[in-house]
Amino acid sequence: MTTISVALGLAYRQTRLLIKNPALFFPPMLFPLMNFLAFAGGLSRLRHVPGFDYSGGYTAFQFVFVLLQSACFGGVFTGFGIARDFEGGFGRRLLVSAPRRSGIIIGYALGALFRWVSVATLLTIVALLAHMQIGGSGIDLFGVYGLALIANVCGILWAGGIAFRFRTVQAGPLMQTPVFMVLFLAPVYVPLALLDGWIHTVASANPVTFVLAAGRSLLAGQPEDVAAGFGIAMASAVALAVWARLGLRRAEQAG
């Protein structure tokens, strides 16, 4: 079995499970939509705060954050699925029958990508219906979704590393809580310049801040610090790939 065949076979299985079980598919889809409607609608008056100078408007400002959030948590939810596979015995059988270990990680990542693309498509449609302003070109938009794609990969690699190590759904809080904290300690509701005190200090050092700023500047058609955003996102993905591979090795050793 080649790496590609293992990856495609596992991705096909994950996709079928999502389609046949709406309980696994719809909650991750509704969560970002509810956040987007709450943030972009309920907090829209924040665009009148002095110093809020984002040219794309508040809907676009929040769209980038929710898009990245949906990508990260799409990966995390797939981590829950990996843990369930080990609890049910499928994960151990997979380790025995699939000698190409990298194909296992890629297969789960492809399944996470299918889940997130569905969410991102619906989220984009809702944002356009809400008259979201798009100032960027097609290349800029490609960059926004490219950043979100890397965030999705980071989410599955982080959660997968946890799932491979603990092999139980009880490790779910370890998958979800750090991602939640990192995301919401970035400039979620207002630009970084309007934050103050400890939250400004933390957000200034938060890598997600740079990725978020790059995505928002691309959507507004005013690219700024894009190289830094992509560099941080790619570096995180590479580091987390090592984390996930070591976790898979731990699962192999556990038998």
Side-chain angles (χ1 to χ4, degrees), residues 233-249:
M234 289 299 299
S236 299
V238 171
L240 289 171
V242 176
W243 161 261
R245 187 65 182 86
L246 292 175
L248 187 57
R249 186 174 301 174

Side-chain angles (χ1 to χ4, degrees), residues 39-63:
F39 296 163
L43 302 175
S44 60
R45 291 184 64 85
L46 287 176
R47 69 183 185 275
H48 300 301
V49 172
F52 191 102
D53 56 356
Y54 183 69
S55 61
Y58 201 75
T59 299
F61 185 83
Q62 282 300 333
F63 172 78

Side-chain angles (χ1 to χ4, degrees), residues 1-241:
M1 297 177 67
T2 65
T3 298
I4 295 177
S5 63
V6 172
L8 293 179
L10 184 54
Y12 177 73
R13 173 185 179 271
Q14 293 300 107
T15 302
R16 282 182 58 86
L17 286 176
L18 287 175
I19 293 175
K20 294 174 64 175
N21 193 342
L24 298 176
F25 189 76
F26 287 106
M29 181 176 291
L30 295 177
F31 178 68
L33 287 176
M34 292 175 62
N35 277 348
F36 177 68
L37 294 175
F39 296 163
L43 302 175
S44 60
R45 291 184 64 85
L46 287 176
R47 69 183 185 275
H48 300 301
V49 172
F52 191 102
D53 56 356
Y54 183 69
S55 61
Y58 201 75
T59 299
F61 185 83
Q62 282 300 333
F63 172 78
V64 177
F65 171 75
V66 177
L67 184 70
L68 292 175
Q69 180 194 46
S70 70
C72 290
F73 277 101
V76 170
F77 283 123
T78 300
F80 294 164
I82 296 174
R84 283 193 296 268
D85 283 345
F86 275 97
E87 285 186 339
F90 174 78
R92 298 183 186 279
R93 296 195 299 272
L94 181 62
L95 290 177
V96 173
S97 61
R100 302 293 183 178
R101 302 298 189 243
S102 57
I104 295 175
I105 297 176
I106 295 172
Y108 278 117
L110 290 175
L113 177 62
F114 170 78
R115 182 201 300 264
W116 174 69
V117 167
S118 303
V119 174
T121 300
L122 182 58
L123 181 62
T124 301
I125 292 173
V126 172
L128 292 175
L129 291 175
H131 306 291
M132 178 178 69
Q133 300 177 31
I134 300 177
S137 64
I139 296 177
D140 294 330
L141 290 178
F142 182 81
V144 174
Y145 287 98
L147 284 171
L149 173 61
I150 300 173
N152 182 250
V153 172
C154 288
I156 177 57
L157 292 175
W158 164 256
I162 296 290
F164 290 137
R165 283 170 170 80
F166 293 93
R167 300 173 296 282
T168 173
V169 178
Q170 293 181 7
L174 291 177
M175 304 180 203
Q176 191 170 5
T177 304
V179 175
F180 181 87
M181 292 181 63
V182 170
L183 285 173
F184 279 90
L185 288 176
V188 177
Y189 307 112
V190 294
L192 178 63
L194 295 182
L195 297 178
D196 197 6
W198 69 268
I199 187 63
H200 181 274
T201 302
V202 173
S204 297
N206 188 346
V208 175
T209 297
F210 299 92
V211 178
L212 191 57
R216 284 168 171 166
S217 68
L218 287 168
L219 188 61
Q222 300 173 347
E224 183 178 349
D225 296 329
V226 175
F230 271 96
I232 290 173
M234 289 299 299
S236 299
V238 171
L240 289 171

